[in-house]
């Protein structure tokens, strides 16, 4: 009889524990984790990709109506700060993690992910009245480091901390400073606007900002400015930043387009990042003049009559 009482007491305790556990799990105040196809997420995006990412979000949310992707557009340096201080789990930028960032995440036992989504390019834009819109890379280097003597250019960037400034400083100038008369217009639309009003200005801007996404062949640029033709070292042809020229390297101002993800579970950040690399996401990239890196593309020569 005594044994029965002990067993009954234990059973009552287990039942009470189950009730408490059930009550905790059904707590309406407990935050529900997002999934790859449901929930809300805040991401940070290099501002040179705003038109493209706005289009990507529109398509993604139409395919997955239970999702909400809220993007904030900032200079690239600010994007990485957001990732490091946990303001964002996902950022869209022009480079993958550097070694210092990888070492930091390793110390705190986090395994971040990054992936090349496309090849992007920077476009040099000039005023329609400017005759100098066909340039060799030697001329571009002289303009960017201020050593050009044939004429004085007013260089215009979007932001002093932007990815475009970093690219020119690191990849073109090889660490040399930009000319003293370089200015930051704050936003990409302001770069275009400044160039339309100043004949000696040269804007440096992401190609997606001047692409026409409604052009089915992805050949049309904005009518507001002239997009310069450039000749890469070792090439004979002067070309604009069309996708095929970006892909084969005959357009020289080429850079990557990456996602960098720090997500401790398989959530909406992973879902949106996967979408960007999917067939649908890559088609949107194609419409904004970047060359998709996750699609199998075949080039064929054709004679146009």
């Amino acid at each position: 009889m005594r044994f029965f009482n002990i067993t009954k007491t234990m059973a009552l305790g287990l039942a009470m524990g189950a009730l408490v556990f059930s009550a905790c799990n059904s707590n309406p105040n407990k935050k529900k984790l997002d999934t790859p196809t449901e929930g809300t997420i805040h991401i940070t995006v290099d501002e040179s990709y705003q038109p493209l990412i706005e289009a990507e979000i529109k398509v993604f949310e139409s395919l997955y109506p239970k999702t909400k992707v809220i993007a904030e557009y900032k200079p690239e340096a600010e994007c990485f700060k957001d990732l490091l201080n946990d303001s964002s789990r996902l950022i869209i930028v022009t480079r993958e993690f550097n070694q210092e960032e990888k070492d930091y995440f390793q110390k705190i036992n986090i395994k971040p992910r990054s992936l090349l989504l496309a090849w992007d390019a920077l476009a040099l834009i000039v005023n329609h009245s400017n005759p100098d819109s066909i340039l060799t890379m030697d001329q571009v280097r002289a303009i960017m480091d201020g050593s050009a003597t044939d004429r004085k250019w007013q260089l215009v960037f979007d932001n002093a901390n932007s990815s475009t400034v970093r690219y020119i400083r690191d990849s073109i100038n090889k660490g040399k400073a930009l000319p003293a008369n370089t200015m930051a217009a704050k936003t990409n639309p302001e770069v275009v606007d400044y160039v339309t009003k100043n004949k000696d200005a040269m804007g440096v801007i992401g190609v997606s900002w001047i692409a026409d996404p409604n052009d089915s062949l992805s050949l049309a640029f904005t009518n507001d400015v002239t997009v310069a033709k450039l000749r890469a070292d070792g090439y004979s042809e002067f070309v604009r930043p069309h996708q095929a020229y970006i892909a084969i390297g005959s357009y020289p101002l080429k850079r990557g387009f990456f996602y960098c993800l720090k997500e401790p579970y398989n959530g909406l950040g992973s879902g949106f990042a996967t979408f960007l690399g999917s067939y649908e996401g890559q088609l949107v990239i194609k419409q904004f003049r970047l060359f998709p890196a996750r699609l199998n593309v075949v080039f064929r020569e054709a004679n146009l009559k």
Side-chain angles (χ1 to χ4, degrees), residues 270-290:
S270 300
F272 186 61
T274 299
F275 165 76
L276 292 175
S278 71
Y279 180 75
E280 292 83 0
Q282 293 282 289
L283 285 182
V284 178
I285 286 172
K286 174 182 175 294
Q287 289 302 110
F288 280 85
R289 200 60 54 78
L290 281 69

Side-chain angles (χ1 to χ4, degrees), residues 57-70:
I57 291 172
K58 186 175 181 180
V59 175
F60 180 74
E61 291 180 348
S62 69
L63 293 173
Y64 305 100
K66 293 184 179 181
T67 62
K68 183 66 176 177
V69 180
I70 302 171

Side-chain angles (χ1 to χ4, degrees), residues 31-42 89 110-111 113 261-271:
K31 185 177 180 181
K32 183 181 177 181
L33 294 178
D34 51 83
T35 73
T37 58
E38 184 177 353
T40 300
I41 189 174
H42 290 258
R89 284 179 271 155
I110 290 178
K111 293 182 179 180
R113 289 179 283 154
L261 177 67
K262 183 189 71 173
E263 191 167 61
Y265 58 94
N266 192 29
L268 188 51
S270 300

Side-chain angles (χ1 to χ4, degrees), residues 117-133:
L117 295 166
W119 289 107
D120 182 26
L122 294 182
L124 303 184
I125 56 174
V126 297
N127 189 282
H128 284 317
S129 64
N130 195 319
D132 297 328
S133 60

Side-chain angles (χ1 to χ4, degrees), residues 13-75:
L14 289 172
M16 291 296 292
L19 286 172
V20 171
F21 181 78
S22 176
C24 290
N25 280 349
S26 61
N27 184 356
N29 296 321
K30 186 177 180 180
K31 185 177 180 181
K32 183 181 177 181
L33 294 178
D34 51 83
T35 73
T37 58
E38 184 177 353
T40 300
I41 189 174
H42 290 258
I43 69 173
T44 311
V45 181
D46 184 316
E47 56 195 358
S48 63
Y49 297 127
Q50 183 171 345
L52 166 59
I53 296 302
E54 286 180 350
E56 294 278 20
I57 291 172
K58 186 175 181 180
V59 175
F60 180 74
E61 291 180 348
S62 69
L63 293 173
Y64 305 100
K66 293 184 179 181
T67 62
K68 183 66 176 177
V69 180
I70 302 171
E72 190 171 359
Y73 301 95
K74 297 182 178 182

